[in-house]
Amino acid sequence: MTDTSKNETNATGAPVTDEAPNTASADVEALQARVAQLEKEVAEYKDQWLRAVADYKNVKRRTDQERADLIRGASAGLILKLLPVVDDLERAMNSVTPEVYASQWYSGFKLIPQKLQTVLDSEGVTPIAAVGADFDPNFHEAVIYEAAGEGQGGKVVAELQKGYMQRERVLRPAMVKVGQE
């Protein structure tokens, strides 16, 4: 007797054997393993991509914040240079004699501090309240302590130089005289 199964061929001309079903299942298993491996790689690549996108967003946010801080710092530096000019203009305005006050020149001169104050206001610069407030070393610089009346201990009794803030940041603390009981 001869084995006829070895001589049979399928439609493609390949010999049909008893081993074909085992080979096909092995091929399917290999392909399923390959698909699983590729799905794992896809998940890793997706995770890496999501991390890269998050890192990019963080870097962009951080650089935008640093740029804004740099601009604020630059304007703060310029404002700090202008504050002595503001102080001098205030002293000059407070020491005007009645003759100068009545002149046309002085009415034009008064516009300069007003324009300067407009610029400071546009940059968020405000004076620090001092006289009558409790002494706060975050906002006030005590240069003189003097005996004060009852209830004036620890309070600012006089302002020697105005302090300024830019939004929530102290540009220059107010130089003050503090009362002691």
Side-chain angles (χ1 to χ4, degrees):
M1 252 180 131
T2 60
D3 188 6
T4 57
S5 65
K6 289 184 181 178
N7 295 335
E8 293 179 22
T9 59
N10 63 13
T12 61
V16 176
T17 63
D18 291 335
E19 298 172 10
N22 290 340
T23 307
S25 67
D27 288 344
V28 168
E29 287 176 12
L31 288 175
Q32 287 175 341
R34 179 72 176 142
V35 167
Q37 178 188 2
L38 290 174
E39 286 176 346
K40 183 179 175 185
E41 287 179 18
V42 165
E44 288 176 13
Y45 291 143
K46 182 178 179 183
D47 183 54
Q48 291 173 356
W49 176 76
L50 290 172
R51 288 176 191 267
V53 168
D55 287 345
Y56 172 74
K57 287 179 181 177
N58 288 337
V59 166
K60 183 170 177 15
R61 181 184 43 79
R62 191 171 33 248
T63 55
D64 289 346
Q65 181 66 37
E66 288 172 359
R67 183 179 297 122
D69 290 345
L70 181 65
I71 290 169
R72 266 188 252 123
S75 71
L78 178 61
I79 291 168
L80 279 171
K81 290 177 183 179
L82 286 175
L83 290 180
V85 174
V86 172
D87 294 338
D88 291 344
L89 283 171
E90 277 187 21
R91 280 192 288 276
M93 302 275 292
N94 291 334
S95 65
V96 171
T97 62
E99 301 85 41
V100 173
Y101 187 79
S103 71
Q104 261 189 335
W105 173 86
Y106 182 71
S107 60
F109 176 79
K110 288 191 303 189
L111 296 176
I112 296 170
Q114 289 172 356
K115 286 182 180 180
L116 188 55
Q117 188 59 48
T118 302
V119 169
L120 293 176
D121 290 343
S122 71
E123 292 297 317
V125 177
T126 56
I128 295 173
V131 178
D134 289 334
F135 174 73
D136 183 350
N138 296 315
F139 300 104
H140 308 120
E141 181 180 346
V143 291
I144 300 173
Y145 288 94
E146 73 174 20
E150 193 161 322
Q152 292 295 318
K155 297 228 183 241
V156 175
V157 294
E159 182 178 58
L160 306 174
Q161 183 182 44
K162 265 189 180 176
Y164 292 92
M165 294 184 67
Q166 185 178 23
R167 294 171 188 83
E168 66 278 346
R169 180 178 166 208
V170 175
L171 288 174
R172 180 177 79 182
M175 262 196 247
V176 297
K177 187 188 298 187
V178 180
Q180 288 181 327
E181 288 185 36

